[in-house]
Each structure stands twice: as structure tokens, then as C-alpha cells.
Amino acid sequence: SIYCILAACVCDLLDGRLARLGGKESPFGREFDSLADIVSFGVAPALLVFKIVLYEIPHQIGWLIAGFYLLCGALRLARFNVAATYNLGTGTRNFTGFPIPAAAGLISSITLLIISNYQNQAELAAGYGGILLAALMVFLAFMMFSKFEYPSFKGFNWRTQFSLPKFLGAVALLWLTIIYYWWMPAVMFVSYLLYGFLRPFISRAWRREIEEEDDDEPPPAPPA
């Protein structure tokens, strides 16, 4: 289940680019994408964590935590669709609030890291790992509605030209992820989460370099 959710995160990075590359963008595709997102990044992580640890929490609190995460994820997708349809918010370059695919990726990667340190599921449910996962789900549910801005990296496409250091860095990151698959995804998703907190304190030049922004690109249209 963890691997499928992480694979869905990769597919989510590619589907829009493939649609634009083939000229197949449509309102139907946007709505269908949201339905796929709520299943892959809302229902699947909620059931995953519930099956591993939340079922041990008494008085149905585990169900409440999983349901709260799922509800916030659904509302997050609805808000994003409204903002995209009516050109609200900060534009297409940034997400306001932690994106739900990243939240699912963070939960799955942290779960993969935690279960690698336990002998069986009973030890995980009774240990601090279970408490961490429950707290993480609640925290990410609030983060999806926070005011922190995260780059969408939509400036990256098939024609993006990388400098040699960036290309070598990307190759090294991919190699480390393949070799250390049980903890490298957690490092990447945690780094993305922390970037939203640190972004206001990073200079504009550094942000432009990290996010591959183009100053010549016109700003998004104002709301009607």
C-alpha cells in the first residue's frame, strides 16, 4: 500500500504535464484528477494508518482521526479547484497550504521508515511510532488549510534546461532514493514540508533559483 501511494505521488507529478504535452487538458480531466486524488491521497493514507495503528485507539478516536484527515483533504481539493477555476489565490506557481499529494507522500514515507524499525505490527501500534503517525495525520490535516505557501514546481517541464550541478544533484538524489528507499522519501517530503516554513525567510533570488521561476512570465489574471 505504501509503495502504491508513493507511486501515485510520482504519477500526480506527470499527469498534468502529459495532458498539456498532448493538448488534452479539459474541465473533465481536472475534475477526474481530483476524484483520483481524494482516493489515492485521502482515502488510502487514512485507511493505511488506521489499519496499522489507529484501530488501537479506544472510543473510536482512531476513526475520528482518519476521518478528519480525509475530510480536510477533500475540502483542500475543493478549495484548490475553486481557486484554479476563478483565478483566485496566489496564482498557479504556488500552493496555499500543504498539498494533499505531499501530505500522503509524507505519511506513507514516514510509515515506511517507522515500520522498518519494528519487528511486527503489535510493537508498532503499542510504541511511540503509532503516536507519531496519529499526531502527524492531525498536524497535516491542519497544514492543508494553513497559509504557508509551497511551490508547485509547474515551471518544470520537458523543455526545462538544467545546469550541470543541478543535473548531477538530481541523479545523485535519484540514486540515493533507489539505494535507501526506506528513508530517503521521508527526507524529501519532510524537506518539502519545512521549506514552507523557511520560504518567507529565503531571499527572492534563492527562491527563484530553487523554484525555477521565470521573471519574464506574465502574472496570473486577476479575479473577475
Side-chain angles (χ1 to χ4, degrees), residues 19-103:
R20 288 188 290 272
L21 183 65
K24 300 296 183 181
E25 287 184 289
S26 67
F28 174 83
R30 182 174 62 248
E31 299 303 324
F32 192 75
D33 179 72
S34 294
L35 292 176
D37 286 350
I38 194 59
V39 173
S40 300
F41 308 129
V43 176
L47 291 180
L48 171 70
V49 178
F50 179 83
K51 180 65 176 177
I52 294 176
V53 294
L54 296 183
Y55 74 96
E56 290 281 355
I57 303 178
H59 307 299
Q60 306 298 320
I61 296 177
W63 277 117
L64 290 176
I65 294 175
F68 180 64
Y69 170 83
L70 177 58
L71 176 62
C72 289
L75 294 174
R76 170 72 174 79
L77 288 169
R79 187 183 70 175
F80 174 80
N81 285 348
V82 170
T85 301
Y86 296 102
N87 289 321
L88 301 176
T90 58
T92 59
R93 290 178 179 175
N94 299 324
F95 295 123
T96 300
F98 199 57
I100 186 173

XYZ file of all heavy atoms in Angstrom, residues 19-103:
650
model
N -0.825 15.706 -20.073
C -2.038 16.253 -20.688
C -1.724 17.511 -21.487
O -2.213 17.689 -22.605
C -3.079 16.545 -19.608
N -0.896 18.399 -20.920
C -0.528 19.617 -21.642
C 0.336 19.306 -22.851
O 0.209 19.954 -23.897
C 0.191 20.579 -20.698
C -0.705 21.230 -19.656
C 0.031 22.318 -18.885
N 1.048 21.765 -18.007
C 0.801 21.377 -16.759
N -0.421 21.460 -16.255
N 1.778 20.895 -15.997
N 1.207 18.302 -22.719
C 2.057 17.935 -23.841
C 1.244 17.412 -25.012
O 1.549 17.701 -26.176
C 3.069 16.871 -23.389
C 4.103 16.419 -24.432
C 5.029 17.579 -24.800
C 4.908 15.242 -23.905
N 0.187 16.663 -24.707
C -0.655 16.127 -25.774
C -1.826 17.004 -26.129
O -2.649 16.624 -26.977
N -1.938 18.184 -25.503
C -3.053 19.073 -25.792
C -4.391 18.506 -25.376
O -5.413 18.749 -26.028
N -4.423 17.741 -24.275
C -5.644 17.067 -23.848
C -6.202 17.630 -22.544
O -6.976 16.955 -21.857
C -5.379 15.563 -23.671
C -4.914 14.858 -24.941
C -5.975 14.896 -26.019
C -5.514 14.118 -27.251
N -6.544 14.160 -28.322
N -5.830 18.860 -22.198
C -6.388 19.470 -20.998
C -7.875 19.725 -21.182
O -8.320 20.139 -22.259
C -5.675 20.783 -20.696
C -4.271 20.625 -20.148
C -3.667 21.958 -19.777
O -3.350 22.735 -20.686
O -3.521 22.225 -18.575
N -8.654 19.495 -20.120
C -10.102 19.702 -20.204
C -10.670 19.836 -18.802
O -10.069 19.366 -17.830
C -10.783 18.530 -20.919
O -10.683 17.350 -20.142
N -11.854 20.469 -18.657
C -12.505 20.528 -17.348
C -12.818 19.141 -16.803
O -12.744 18.913 -15.592
C -13.793 21.321 -17.634
C -13.471 22.138 -18.848
C -12.554 21.290 -19.671
N -13.159 18.200 -17.687
C -13.417 16.831 -17.232
C -12.172 16.226 -16.598
O -12.238 15.585 -15.540
C -13.870 15.969 -18.411
C -14.018 14.509 -18.068
C -15.175 14.039 -17.479
C -12.986 13.612 -18.320
C -15.308 12.696 -17.148
C -13.104 12.277 -17.994
C -14.273 11.810 -17.409
N -11.017 16.432 -17.233
C -9.773 15.900 -16.692
C -9.436 16.482 -15.343
O -8.947 15.781 -14.454
N -9.702 17.788 -15.163
C -9.420 18.433 -13.884
C -10.280 17.843 -12.775
O -9.789 17.571 -11.675
C -9.650 19.942 -13.996
C -9.328 20.683 -12.703
C -9.428 22.194 -12.877
N -10.766 22.617 -13.246
C -11.091 23.133 -14.432
N -10.177 23.290 -15.356
N -12.332 23.499 -14.698
N -11.568 17.624 -13.049
C -12.452 17.069 -12.036
C -12.123 15.604 -11.755
O -12.139 15.164 -10.599
C -13.914 17.202 -12.479
C -14.385 18.633 -12.691
C -14.214 19.486 -11.445
O -14.408 18.959 -10.321
O -13.887 20.681 -11.578
N -11.821 14.848 -12.812
C -11.480 13.442 -12.622
C -10.173 13.300 -11.846
O -10.006 12.370 -11.046
C -11.373 12.743 -13.974
C -11.302 11.243 -13.873
C -12.429 10.499 -13.577
C -10.110 10.578 -14.069
C -12.361 9.120 -13.465
C -10.023 9.205 -13.964
C -11.158 8.473 -13.664
N -9.255 14.227 -12.083
C -7.988 14.221 -11.354
C -8.232 14.408 -9.867
O -7.580 13.773 -9.030
C -7.079 15.319 -11.898
C -5.750 15.383 -11.157
O -4.926 14.475 -11.344
O -5.541 16.336 -10.386
N -9.166 15.273 -9.508
C -9.477 15.493 -8.096
C -10.092 14.245 -7.462
O -9.803 13.923 -6.303
C -10.433 16.676 -7.937
O -9.805 17.882 -8.320
N -10.933 13.533 -8.220
C -11.503 12.293 -7.692
C -10.413 11.254 -7.450
O -10.422 10.537 -6.441
C -12.552 11.746 -8.668
C -13.829 12.568 -8.818
C -14.731 11.958 -9.880
C -14.571 12.651 -7.489
N -9.469 11.184 -8.382
C -8.346 10.257 -8.201
C -7.497 10.671 -7.004
O -7.019 9.816 -6.236
C -7.492 10.213 -9.465
N -7.312 11.975 -6.818
C -6.507 12.474 -5.701
C -7.136 12.131 -4.353
O -6.429 11.751 -3.413
C -6.313 13.986 -5.817
C -5.324 14.362 -6.912
O -4.660 13.454 -7.446
O -5.223 15.562 -7.232
N -8.447 12.281 -4.245
C -9.078 12.034 -2.952
C -9.008 10.563 -2.582
O -8.937 10.200 -1.397
C -10.542 12.542 -2.938
C -11.080 12.594 -1.505
C -11.428 11.652 -3.789
C -10.312 13.474 -0.581
N -8.974 9.682 -3.593
C -8.830 8.256 -3.302
C -7.381 7.919 -2.969
O -7.080 7.286 -1.956
C -9.328 7.411 -4.488
C -9.025 5.931 -4.249
C -10.810 7.615 -4.704
N -6.452 8.361 -3.830
C -5.040 7.998 -3.670
C -4.387 8.681 -2.482
O -3.534 8.082 -1.805
C -4.264 8.343 -4.946
O -4.778 7.654 -6.056
N -4.761 9.944 -2.228
C -4.067 10.736 -1.220
C -4.926 11.058 0.000
O -4.437 11.679 0.947
C -3.566 12.038 -1.843
C -2.769 11.817 -3.101
C -3.063 12.518 -4.264
C -1.738 10.895 -3.120
C -2.337 12.310 -5.422
C -1.003 10.682 -4.282
C -1.307 11.387 -5.434
N -6.192 10.672 -0.035
C -7.067 10.885 1.105
C -7.521 9.574 1.731
O -7.187 9.270 2.878
N -8.257 8.781 0.965
C -8.790 7.516 1.486
C -7.673 6.530 1.792
O -7.635 5.929 2.881
C -9.785 6.903 0.475
C -10.267 5.542 0.966
C -10.965 7.833 0.254
N -6.746 6.336 0.843
C -5.704 5.318 1.017
C -4.804 5.582 2.231
O -4.607 4.679 3.052
C -4.871 5.209 -0.268
N -4.245 6.803 2.411
C -3.426 7.030 3.611
C -4.224 6.906 4.911
O -3.697 6.406 5.919
C -2.894 8.452 3.422
C -3.013 8.722 1.971
C -4.209 7.976 1.520
N -5.476 7.365 4.902
C -6.290 7.283 6.118
C -6.516 5.829 6.523
O -6.367 5.462 7.696
C -7.624 7.997 5.902
N -6.867 4.975 5.550
C -7.083 3.565 5.861
C -5.775 2.860 6.207
O -5.751 1.951 7.038
C -7.758 2.875 4.677
C -9.207 3.290 4.403
C -9.751 2.533 3.195
C -10.086 3.038 5.619
N -4.691 3.270 5.543
C -3.388 2.674 5.823
C -2.995 2.873 7.281
O -2.659 1.905 7.984
C -2.328 3.285 4.909
C -0.877 2.928 5.212
C -0.593 1.470 4.891
C 0.075 3.836 4.436
N -3.039 4.119 7.740
C -2.635 4.414 9.119
C -3.637 3.822 10.110
O -3.257 3.352 11.183
C -2.475 5.931 9.326
C -2.097 6.243 10.766
C -1.412 6.480 8.383
N -4.912 3.825 9.754
C -5.899 3.224 10.655
C -5.627 1.734 10.832
O -5.670 1.210 11.953
C -7.312 3.432 10.126
C -8.368 2.817 11.005
C -8.834 3.489 12.119
C -8.874 1.555 10.728
C -9.793 2.910 12.956
C -9.820 0.968 11.548
C -10.281 1.644 12.661
N -5.341 1.053 9.735
C -5.105 -0.392 9.801
C -3.853 -0.713 10.610
O -3.793 -1.751 11.289
C -4.958 -0.940 8.376
C -4.709 -2.441 8.292
C -5.895 -3.232 8.792
C -5.664 -4.727 8.614
N -6.785 -5.523 9.150
N -2.862 0.172 10.581
C -1.607 -0.106 11.275
C -1.683 0.252 12.759
O -1.308 -0.548 13.626
C -0.452 0.662 10.604
C -0.228 0.130 9.191
C 0.839 0.520 11.408
C 0.827 0.889 8.417
N -2.175 1.455 13.076
C -2.093 1.914 14.472
C -3.390 2.494 15.020
O -3.683 2.314 16.210
C -0.974 2.973 14.636
C 0.387 2.365 14.387
C -1.203 4.163 13.739
N -4.178 3.174 14.212
C -5.298 3.928 14.777
C -6.394 3.033 15.334
O -7.169 3.469 16.201
C -5.894 4.862 13.713
C -4.985 5.976 13.185
C -5.736 6.857 12.202
C -4.439 6.824 14.336
N -6.481 1.786 14.871
C -7.521 0.888 15.377
C -7.324 0.569 16.855
O -8.265 0.130 17.539
C -7.541 -0.400 14.555
C -6.384 -1.334 14.853
C -6.528 -2.380 15.758
C -5.147 -1.151 14.239
C -5.467 -3.226 16.044
C -4.091 -1.990 14.512
C -4.247 -3.026 15.413
O -3.192 -3.853 15.689
N -6.099 0.782 17.364
C -5.807 0.502 18.768
C -6.303 1.611 19.696
O -6.401 1.399 20.904
C -4.290 0.341 18.956
C -3.712 -0.924 18.338
C -3.964 -2.151 19.207
O -4.509 -1.988 20.318
O -3.631 -3.262 18.768
N -6.603 2.786 19.152
C -7.037 3.903 19.994
C -8.489 3.674 20.416
O -9.352 3.447 19.561
C -6.902 5.244 19.247
C -5.447 5.437 18.795
C -7.351 6.401 20.117
C -5.225 6.710 18.019
N -8.790 3.740 21.702
C -10.156 3.428 22.164
C -11.148 4.532 21.834
O -10.782 5.629 21.416
C -9.974 3.269 23.681
C -8.794 4.130 24.007
C -7.873 4.037 22.813
N -12.430 4.178 22.057
C -13.555 5.115 21.942
C -13.669 5.712 20.530
O -14.083 6.866 20.363
C -13.433 6.247 22.976
C -13.249 5.770 24.373
N -14.175 4.993 25.023
C -12.213 5.950 25.247
C -13.742 4.720 26.256
N -12.560 5.284 26.413
N -13.312 4.933 19.535
C -13.470 5.347 18.123
C -12.670 6.596 17.752
O -12.938 7.223 16.724
C -14.951 5.592 17.802
C -15.872 4.419 18.124
C -15.531 3.165 17.324
O -15.206 3.265 16.153
N -15.596 2.023 17.979
N -11.696 6.962 18.586
C -10.896 8.151 18.288
C -10.059 7.929 17.033
O -9.809 8.863 16.265
C -10.017 8.523 19.498
C -10.894 8.901 20.686
C -9.067 9.675 19.158
C -10.121 9.224 21.947
N -9.635 6.691 16.820
C -8.874 6.379 15.617
C -9.657 6.673 14.345
O -9.125 7.229 13.379
N -10.937 6.294 14.353
C -11.787 6.600 13.197
C -11.941 8.107 13.013
O -11.974 8.603 11.880
C -13.169 5.960 13.368
C -13.252 4.530 12.968
C -13.535 3.461 13.759
C -13.047 3.993 11.654
N -13.507 2.300 13.046
C -13.221 2.594 11.744
C -12.729 4.561 10.417
C -13.093 1.752 10.642
C -12.595 3.718 9.315
C -12.777 2.337 9.427
N -12.047 8.840 14.125
C -12.189 10.296 14.046
C -10.944 10.939 13.440
O -11.052 11.862 12.626
C -12.459 10.876 15.434
C -13.824 10.562 16.052
C -13.903 11.123 17.467
C -14.944 11.122 15.191
N -9.765 10.441 13.818
C -8.520 10.994 13.266
C -8.434 10.727 11.773
O -8.132 11.629 10.975
C -7.300 10.413 14.004
C -7.288 10.877 15.457
C -6.008 10.809 13.298
C -6.185 10.254 16.294
N -8.702 9.482 11.373
C -8.648 9.139 9.947
C -9.693 9.922 9.164
O -9.424 10.430 8.065
C -8.848 7.636 9.766
N -10.908 10.027 9.730
C -11.961 10.768 9.041
C -11.671 12.255 8.954
O -12.001 12.903 7.957
N -11.054 12.805 10.005
C -10.710 14.227 9.999
C -9.684 14.528 8.914
O -9.809 15.518 8.184
C -10.164 14.623 11.370
C -9.771 16.063 11.479
C -10.713 17.074 11.365
C -8.451 16.420 11.708
C -10.344 18.408 11.461
C -8.069 17.748 11.811
C -9.027 18.742 11.691
N -8.677 13.662 8.776
C -7.684 13.842 7.715
C -8.351 13.768 6.340
O -8.087 14.594 5.455
C -6.594 12.781 7.834
C -5.666 12.735 6.646
C -4.582 13.607 6.549
C -5.885 11.844 5.603
C -3.734 13.581 5.448
C -5.042 11.811 4.492
C -3.983 12.681 4.425
O -3.159 12.670 3.324
N -9.230 12.783 6.153
C -9.902 12.618 4.861
C -10.786 13.820 4.543
O -10.800 14.313 3.402
C -10.731 11.335 4.873
C -11.561 11.040 3.616
C -10.673 10.972 2.377
C -12.342 9.742 3.799
N -11.518 14.310 5.524
C -12.396 15.457 5.318
C -11.593 16.700 4.938
O -11.944 17.422 4.001
C -13.216 15.718 6.580
C -14.120 16.959 6.556
C -15.168 16.828 5.467
C -14.782 17.161 7.917
N -10.492 16.949 5.665
C -9.660 18.116 5.352
C -9.041 17.984 3.975
O -8.910 18.976 3.248
C -8.572 18.278 6.410
S -9.188 18.829 8.017
N -8.664 16.771 3.590
C -8.125 16.566 2.249
C -9.146 16.861 1.169
O -8.828 17.484 0.148
N -10.387 16.434 1.378
C -11.440 16.700 0.404
C -11.723 18.198 0.295
O -11.886 18.744 -0.800
C -12.708 15.944 0.792
N -11.796 18.884 1.440
C -12.019 20.325 1.426
C -10.842 21.060 0.785
O -11.033 22.063 0.089
C -12.248 20.827 2.850
C -13.525 20.332 3.541
C -13.564 20.788 4.983
C -14.760 20.828 2.798
N -9.656 20.556 1.009
C -8.456 21.159 0.403
C -8.520 21.074 -1.122
O -8.217 22.047 -1.826
C -7.206 20.429 0.933
C -5.896 20.764 0.240
C -5.442 22.162 0.613
N -4.123 22.465 0.081
C -3.859 22.821 -1.174
N -4.840 22.896 -2.036
N -2.637 23.109 -1.550
N -8.929 19.930 -1.653
C -9.046 19.770 -3.104
C -10.158 20.653 -3.660
O -10.016 21.240 -4.739
C -9.324 18.306 -3.444
C -8.135 17.345 -3.264
C -8.600 15.899 -3.371
C -7.051 17.633 -4.299
N -11.274 20.758 -2.928
C -12.371 21.610 -3.388
C -11.936 23.071 -3.438
O -12.240 23.788 -4.407
C -13.581 21.448 -2.469
N -11.210 23.521 -2.419
C -10.725 24.906 -2.409
C -9.747 25.150 -3.552
O -9.784 26.199 -4.203
C -10.045 25.205 -1.068
C -9.652 26.668 -0.897
C -8.929 26.912 0.406
N -7.597 26.321 0.411
C -6.723 26.485 1.404
N -7.057 27.197 2.469
N -5.532 25.932 1.346
N -8.885 24.185 -3.814
C -7.919 24.334 -4.911
C -8.639 24.435 -6.251
O -8.278 25.257 -7.105
C -6.957 23.148 -4.910
C -6.020 23.138 -6.082
C -4.895 23.945 -6.092
C -6.268 22.332 -7.185
C -4.029 23.950 -7.185
C -5.417 22.320 -8.274
C -4.296 23.134 -8.273
N -9.662 23.615 -6.475
C -10.389 23.650 -7.741
C -11.110 24.980 -7.941
O -11.139 25.522 -9.045
C -11.395 22.502 -7.806
C -10.725 21.171 -8.062
O -9.548 21.116 -8.410
N -11.455 20.090 -7.885
N -11.685 25.501 -6.855
C -12.363 26.797 -6.960
C -11.362 27.895 -7.283
O -11.595 28.749 -8.151
C -13.117 27.106 -5.643
C -13.621 28.545 -5.648
C -14.276 26.148 -5.465
N -10.218 27.878 -6.601
C -9.199 28.887 -6.850
C -8.666 28.800 -8.267
O -8.417 29.816 -8.926
C -8.056 28.735 -5.849
N -8.487 27.582 -8.780
C -7.978 27.415 -10.138
C -9.012 27.849 -11.174
O -8.672 28.432 -12.213
C -7.583 25.959 -10.371
N -10.289 27.583 -10.904
C -11.341 27.912 -11.865
C -11.554 29.419 -11.977
O -11.711 29.968 -13.075
C -12.661 27.237 -11.463
O -12.456 25.820 -11.419
C -13.762 27.560 -12.468
N -11.509 30.118 -10.843
C -11.809 31.546 -10.832
C -10.577 32.423 -10.663
O -10.693 33.610 -10.354
C -12.821 31.845 -9.716
C -14.151 31.165 -9.938
C -14.477 30.013 -9.227
C -15.053 31.648 -10.874
C -15.702 29.373 -9.434
C -16.268 31.013 -11.082
C -16.583 29.881 -10.357
O -17.776 29.249 -10.569
N -9.386 31.832 -10.852
C -8.133 32.596 -10.768
C -7.990 33.320 -9.432
O -7.631 34.491 -9.377
C -8.036 33.613 -11.911
C -7.802 32.962 -13.248
O -7.048 31.993 -13.342
N -8.444 33.461 -14.279
N -8.296 32.595 -8.364
C -8.153 33.164 -7.033
C -6.816 32.730 -6.450
O -6.148 31.843 -6.949
C -9.285 32.682 -6.121
C -10.705 33.019 -6.606
C -11.722 32.397 -5.671
C -10.915 34.521 -6.682
N -6.422 33.345 -5.351
C -5.210 32.931 -4.661
C -3.975 33.564 -5.254
O -4.005 34.610 -5.876
N -2.841 32.889 -5.074
C -1.558 33.452 -5.464
C -1.150 33.090 -6.874
O -0.066 33.447 -7.306
C -0.477 32.948 -4.502
O -0.462 31.504 -4.540
C -0.727 33.404 -3.085
N -2.003 32.383 -7.606
C -1.625 32.012 -8.961
C -1.243 30.550 -9.032
O -1.345 29.789 -8.085
N -0.798 30.120 -10.203
C -0.550 28.712 -10.437
C 0.823 28.263 -9.962
O 1.108 27.087 -9.935
C -0.681 28.423 -11.937
O 0.255 29.238 -12.657
C -2.078 28.711 -12.435
N 1.706 29.194 -9.605
C 3.060 28.796 -9.217
C 3.127 28.269 -7.801
O 4.024 27.490 -7.488
C 4.012 29.985 -9.354
C 4.290 30.400 -10.792
C 5.206 31.600 -10.805
N 5.538 32.041 -12.151
C 6.237 33.120 -12.430
N 6.670 33.885 -11.446
N 6.501 33.454 -13.674
N 2.221 28.694 -6.943
C 2.295 28.336 -5.533
C 1.011 27.669 -5.081
O -0.080 27.944 -5.591
C 2.551 29.571 -4.667
C 3.865 30.242 -5.006
O 4.853 29.578 -5.324
N 3.876 31.554 -4.941
N 1.161 26.785 -4.103
C 0.016 26.225 -3.396
C -0.107 26.936 -2.061
O 0.885 27.131 -1.357
C 0.208 24.729 -3.138
C 0.249 23.885 -4.377
C 1.350 23.081 -4.644
C -0.798 23.875 -5.264
C 1.397 22.284 -5.768
C -0.764 23.089 -6.400
C 0.334 22.293 -6.651
N -1.322 27.332 -1.695
C -1.576 27.869 -0.367
C -2.024 26.720 0.515
O -3.087 26.138 0.306
C -2.657 28.958 -0.408
O -2.228 30.013 -1.260
C -2.907 29.511 0.982
N -1.209 26.378 1.485
C -1.449 25.185 2.274
C -0.660 24.006 1.719
O -0.271 23.994 0.548
N -0.432 23.026 2.569
C 0.349 21.858 2.158
C -0.471 21.015 1.196
O -1.603 20.637 1.505
C 0.727 21.039 3.392
C 1.881 20.100 3.178
C 3.104 20.575 2.744
C 1.744 18.739 3.420
C 4.178 19.714 2.565
C 2.804 17.885 3.244
C 4.030 18.368 2.809
N 0.053 20.696 0.012
C -0.718 19.928 -0.977
C -1.027 18.526 -0.465
O -0.201 17.893 0.211
C 0.209 19.872 -2.200
C 1.224 20.940 -1.980
C 1.376 21.084 -0.501
N -2.202 18.016 -0.821
C -2.599 16.701 -0.330
C -1.730 15.574 -0.894
O -1.463 14.597 -0.182
C -4.100 16.444 -0.602
C -4.535 15.127 0.049
C -4.422 16.469 -2.071
C -6.024 14.877 -0.021
N -1.214 15.642 -2.146
C -0.294 14.570 -2.564
C 0.970 14.525 -1.712
O 1.456 13.428 -1.381
C 0.026 14.931 -4.024
C -1.121 15.772 -4.471
C -1.514 16.554 -3.267
N 1.485 15.697 -1.349
C 2.668 15.732 -0.492
C 2.343 15.217 0.911
O 3.173 14.556 1.543
C 3.230 17.146 -0.419
N 1.140 15.518 1.394
C 0.743 15.020 2.712
C 0.673 13.497 2.713
O 1.160 12.841 3.643
C -0.610 15.613 3.113
